[in-house]
Amino acid sequence: MAIFGATYKTAYCRKTYVSMLALAVAVPALSTVAAAEEADKRIAPISVTATRSPIEAFEFPGMVTVIDRDEIERRQASTPADILGHVPGVEFTSGPRRTGMTPSVRGFSGSDVVILIDGVRQNFGSAHDGRFFLDPSVVEQAEVLRGGASSLYGSGGTGGVIEFRTLDARKHLQAGESAQLEAKTGYHTANREWHVTTNAFATPIEGLGVVGSLTRRSSGSIRLGNGGELGASDDDLLSGLAKLNYDLGGGHELSATYLGFTNDAQEPNNGQSGSANDIVDKEIQSDTYRLGYNFKDPSNALIDLDAVVYFQEFSADELRLDNNGAGPAGELLKRDVETFGFRLDNRSRFDFGDALGVTLTYGAEGYRDEQDGASASGNRDGVPDADTEFYGIYAQAELAWNNPFGVLPGDLLVIPGVRYDDYKASSALAATDTEDDSFSPKVGVSYLPNDWLVLFANYAEAFRAPDINELYLSGVHFAIPAGTFGPGSQQATNRFIANPDLKPQTTETFEFGAGLTFDDVAMEGDRFQVKASHYRTDGENFIDLEVTQPAFFTECNPFIPGNCDGTTRNFNVADAELDGTEVEASYDNERVRFVLGYSEVDGENTQTGAKLGVLTPDQLHLDSMLKLPEFDSLAGWRIEAADEFDKVNAANERRDGYVVHDIYAAWAPTSGALQGVRLDLGIDNIFDKAYARAFTDANEPGRDYKIAVSYAFTW
């Protein structure tokens, strides 16, 4: 069982993607000692999300980050935020409750970020709940592609793509092994969370891989850094995965996956709230069914086919437990979202000698979302009954050119692509359907004049269609109860206003940057790497939310019925601009590993100067790890530092800067009677710092002692 991961060395050749990907699968499974001895055979992290074809993350003309299973376990992740929160340009806002966490990428959030699990789109949308529901115990690998990505992924690719890949038996079983059973348990003190996980991997017959995983988590109120507690934060979670991969021979492979997630939570109706009011019993259910087919003809470089069909079902049922919300105790609120989808693409590779290699990726995608909302009175406020349909076709070329024009030294990588999308949204709440289409071109260029430098730039146009919750909102958003301002004060009601005339938002992003990578810097087998980029995004018709609520006593009289009522609606911002900088750097050798990430982003309505987007303070993440292979262990220190957040339109949105420290350690014997045991220890926020993230009502958790113990038995 590896705990160090790999000290990667660059394989400087863009014609070895397939073999590189195979090695990337094998490396994490090496023992810590073997990993050190095999350093000269290692390769750089490989991204598949960036181009739909394996490519070194360092050489890609943009910013993409790959997180492996070892990193997830070292962090003792219990939420997706624990997996991705350190990635430059990524922020999870909306408070520490599990069901309310929402990712943003480069200032974009919600439907502006494509989220995939094994290629399945996660299209659940709710103003005050998360975008998707996934337990880290089933995640083998995660990728974050930042920047315009509609040329491959269609609507929602304005901010980027977050993709998770679930457990794979082939990454846990080595040659000669037929099965592995892993049991794991752990505890976090900040939210009183205990968890138990059982994973099973097997290859019962040649070519067949089987995965089964079951996790139970239970947690309570969250202790905050300011000494208080965030009550009404109870979770009772069950997650399961069943997965089959069958190699039929001749390059054919079939796969079938079921992924389930259930959480019985007791929390406010608005799970992102910093209060413990308007409490509901919230039952979250997510079920994913996926079938896949792959065909890579070993004798024909023109065929490398992937096909996926899927059905995704979300449900969020909320039973009111008090009379402090917009409805009475005992009222049941329902939201159901179903997604039917497919994706089909192929890669054709052409080799024009040593000078030029070309990979063409082309395909089609389609999906349909259906949403139903219900309450005791019939339709649920803010959850319109509606559906959408999306269909897209796309094509992309990757041209790897050695010694371009016979003049320039090194290699030139050029990646042009384009996608066409057609979509339609419909609801009984609107007289006509909303229909539109979009072309999304992109081109990226990386120039590698030698084996230690890359210069890159890209231009991308992206779009995001208005979603059904933005188009057809109706009913009550929130209500301020009668009597709030004394006897005789009236209820103030804020109502949704539908806007079926919303236009799709479009962006143009230009990005440029550079990277350096050096091997054998301070000692044999080490590696230093840094990659940085700056981007500017110009947008049209940004979709923003406007909540208009008169100020009591100054703008309205709360004792006059209806005088303090307000409205909430979505509208298009004609012109907007976001820009930012990201840096990723690392140094790794057989004894130490340092990883640094930095990001800053700003955005505004260029007509009014008002701030726009899910902005974040300038942030720095540093992870320092000491490797102790003679003791089969490691220890590390993480620092997250954020500047004061003042990119705001209102004074109450300001946040103080902060510095938070975590420590961690892991021990995994590679021989002897305890081989197969793993112990992880950690303390997050060791100085119990009180701090809050931008656009979040509640403080973040305080000091959190964490422990996890696992045992894997292999035969």
Side-chain angles (χ1 to χ4, degrees):
M1 181 183 296
I3 59 173
F4 294 158
T7 304
Y8 295 105
K9 301 196 70 159
T10 302
Y12 186 70
C13 178
R14 275 145 304 283
K15 293 185 181 180
T16 58
Y17 289 155
V18 177
S19 60
M20 286 162 54
L21 184 61
L23 282 172
V25 171
V27 167
L30 296 173
S31 71
T32 55
V33 176
E37 295 174 347
E38 296 291 322
D40 61 325
K41 298 180 181 179
R42 298 175 189 136
I43 53 168
I46 305 299
S47 169
V48 177
T49 305
T51 64
R52 303 286 303 165
S53 182
I55 185 172
E56 286 190 20
F58 179 74
E59 296 178 354
F60 173 69
M63 301 297 281
V64 59
T65 301
V66 182
I67 301 104
D68 63 18
R69 181 71 178 172
D70 288 332
E71 179 69 17
I72 295 171
E73 292 193 340
R74 284 196 295 268
R75 290 181 176 272
Q76 295 193 57
S78 66
T79 69
D82 295 332
I83 300 176
L84 304 177
H86 65 287
V87 176
V90 176
E91 179 83 320
F92 278 76
T93 59
S94 307
R97 289 191 182 95
R98 191 188 314 270
T99 59
M101 293 181 180
T102 303
S104 67
V105 179
R106 290 188 172 181
F108 293 91
S109 66
S111 299
D112 288 304
V113 179
V114 175
I115 298 177
L116 305 170
I117 301 177
D118 286 339
V120 177
R121 283 186 175 256
Q122 307 298 297
N123 290 345
F124 181 79
S126 171
H128 301 302
D129 290 320
R131 274 286 316 280
F132 65 103
F133 304 99
L134 177 72
D135 193 84
S137 62
V138 300
V139 178
E140 189 74 60
Q141 186 185 70
E143 288 195 46
V144 182
L145 171 64
R146 279 98 78 196
S150 290
S151 62
L152 278 177
Y153 295 96
S155 178
T158 45
V161 179
I162 296 174
E163 182 162 19
F164 299 92
R165 299 185 183 91
T166 57
L167 299 173
D168 189 334
R170 293 166 295 187
K171 295 188 178 183
H172 292 262
L173 298 174
Q174 305 305 300
E177 297 176 347
S178 60
Q180 181 184 97
L181 184 63
E182 179 186 29
K184 182 176 183 178
T185 187
Y187 187 75
H188 295 190
T189 62
N191 62 343
R192 302 167 178 82
E193 175 187 304
W194 66 267
H195 61 91
V196 178
T197 296
T198 301
N199 293 325
F201 309 94
T203 54
I205 60 174
E206 184 177 358
L208 178 63
V210 181
V211 177
S213 177
L214 191 65
T215 293
R216 174 77 182 274
R217 294 184 190 270
S218 180
S219 60
S221 58
I222 302 170
R223 183 185 173 279
L224 305 177
N226 60 6
E229 288 203 357
L230 184 62
S233 303
D234 298 348
D235 288 319
D236 190 357
L237 183 155
L238 185 65
S239 171
L241 171 70
K243 187 175 182 179
L244 300 174
N245 291 85
Y246 188 43
D247 186 347
L248 302 173
H252 299 273
E253 182 176 308
L254 295 174
S255 61
T257 305
Y258 166 74
L259 177 63
F261 178 100
T262 301
N263 187 12
D264 186 359
Q266 192 170 111
E267 63 184 29
N269 176 270
N270 176 359
Q272 301 166 354
S273 169
S275 71
N277 214 0
D278 188 12
I279 307 302
V280 298
D281 185 357
K282 185 178 297 185
E283 294 187 8
I284 302 290
Q285 179 77 39
S286 173
D287 294 292
T288 303
Y289 305 87
R290 176 190 180 277
L291 293 175
Y293 169 70
N294 307 101
F295 176 46
K296 183 176 180 182
D297 189 339
S299 63
N300 188 348
L302 301 181
I303 301 178
D304 185 357
L305 181 70
D306 287 334
V308 174
V309 295
Y310 58 87
F311 171 62
Q312 169 78 61
E313 183 177 26
F314 286 106
S315 65
D317 295 346
E318 302 174 357
L319 179 66
R320 294 190 186 276
L321 301 181
D322 61 32
N323 295 310
N324 297 323
E331 181 183 28
L332 179 63
L333 308 174
K334 298 178 68 67
R335 181 195 297 264
D336 297 309
V337 178
E338 294 181 348
T339 302
F340 306 81
F342 74 90
R343 183 167 188 133
L344 174 70
D345 56 22
N346 184 60
R347 282 145 291 278
S348 296
R349 296 179 172 88
F350 304 87
D351 192 345
F352 299 95
D354 294 333
L356 180 65
V358 178
T359 299
L360 295 179
T361 302
Y362 46 93
E365 181 183 22
Y367 55 95
R368 174 184 174 88
D369 295 324
E370 297 180 0
Q371 176 173 274
D372 292 305
S375 68
S377 60
N379 294 328
R380 179 179 177 181
D381 293 337
V383 185
D385 293 350
D387 59 75
T388 58
E389 293 182 357
F390 286 82
Y391 298 97
I393 56 174
Y394 52 92
Q396 174 190 266
E398 297 174 60
L399 297 89
W401 196 356
N402 180 255
N403 191 213
F405 306 107
V407 176
L408 294 175
D411 293 315
L412 183 68
L413 178 64
V414 182
I415 308 178
V418 65
R419 172 165 167 151
Y420 170 76
D421 282 277
D422 182 87
Y423 69 90
K424 179 177 73 172
S426 59
S427 172
L429 298 172
T432 60
D433 295 343
T434 298
E435 299 183 70
D436 212 332
D437 58 8
S438 180
F439 281 95
S440 304
K442 181 175 182 177
V443 60
V445 178
S446 290
Y447 176 51
L448 298 96
N450 49 46
D451 61 359
W452 52 265
L453 173 66
V454 60
L455 306 171
F456 67 89
N458 70 71
Y459 169 81
E461 295 182 14
F463 89 105
R464 198 266 285 177
D467 65 40
I468 52 182
N469 294 314
E470 294 165 334
L471 290 166
Y472 307 122
L473 279 177
S474 64
V476 175
H477 183 195
F478 59 86
I480 300 172
T484 299
F485 299 98
S489 65
Q490 303 296 306
Q491 175 174 296
T493 303
N494 189 286
R495 293 179 174 84
F496 290 114
I497 304 297
N499 187 0
D501 296 322
L502 281 174
K503 299 176 182 178
Q505 68 178 38
T506 59
T507 61
E508 296 181 359
T509 299
F510 176 69
E511 180 177 6
F512 64 92
L516 299 170
T517 180
F518 297 102
D519 298 328
D520 305 327
V521 179
M523 59 187 298
E524 185 178 356
D526 71 358
R527 181 174 183 237
F528 169 78
Q529 186 176 96
V530 60
K531 189 176 182 181
S533 82
H534 181 78
Y535 61 88
R536 171 173 168 159
T537 297
D538 293 308
E540 294 183 356
N541 296 316
F542 266 40
I543 299 173
D544 203 0
L545 184 69
E546 179 184 58
V547 180
T548 302
Q549 183 60 48
F552 295 97
F553 297 107
T554 59
E555 297 180 344
C556 68
N557 186 340
F559 294 92
I560 299 176
N563 193 244
C564 290
D565 288 353
T567 61
T568 298
R569 71 180 185 97
N570 289 282
F571 68 102
N572 288 112
V573 175
D575 296 294
E577 176 186 312
L578 291 97
D579 62 87
T581 301
E582 294 170 358
V583 181
E584 288 186 301
S586 64
Y587 175 76
D588 199 353
N589 66 29
E590 63 183 16
R591 277 295 180 183
V592 297
R593 174 176 176 263
F594 301 101
V595 178
L596 178 146
Y598 169 81
S599 64
E600 62 92 10
V601 61
D602 199 359
E604 67 177 22
N605 180 328
T606 56
Q607 292 185 334
T608 66
K611 294 299 180 182
L612 190 70
V614 184
L615 304 181
T616 58
D618 297 358
Q619 292 180 321
L620 178 71
H621 292 263
L622 178 63
D623 186 349
S624 304
M625 184 171 73
L626 174 65
K627 306 176 187 180
L628 302 167
E630 60 269 38
F631 302 109
D632 296 320
S633 61
L634 58 82
W637 186 297
R638 300 189 189 98
I639 299 174
E640 177 185 350
D643 198 2
E644 177 187 3
F645 181 63
D646 56 6
K647 308 166 190 175
V648 300
N649 295 315
N652 63 356
E653 295 176 344
R654 288 178 175 269
R655 296 292 184 271
D656 293 334
Y658 58 85
V659 179
V660 177
H661 301 262
D662 307 334
I663 56 175
Y664 62 94
W667 176 59
T670 56
S671 61
L674 294 179
Q675 184 176 0
V677 171
R678 175 173 177 138
L679 173 65
D680 285 275
L681 301 172
I683 307 175
D684 290 352
N685 195 358
I686 58 177
F687 299 117
D688 209 22
K689 177 71 175 179
Y691 70 104
R693 301 189 186 278
F695 304 111
T696 301
D697 291 338
N699 275 11
E700 293 299 302
R703 186 182 297 114
D704 185 14
Y705 297 92
K706 304 193 295 187
I707 182 173
V709 182
S710 65
Y711 177 68
F713 178 65
T714 306
W715 66 94

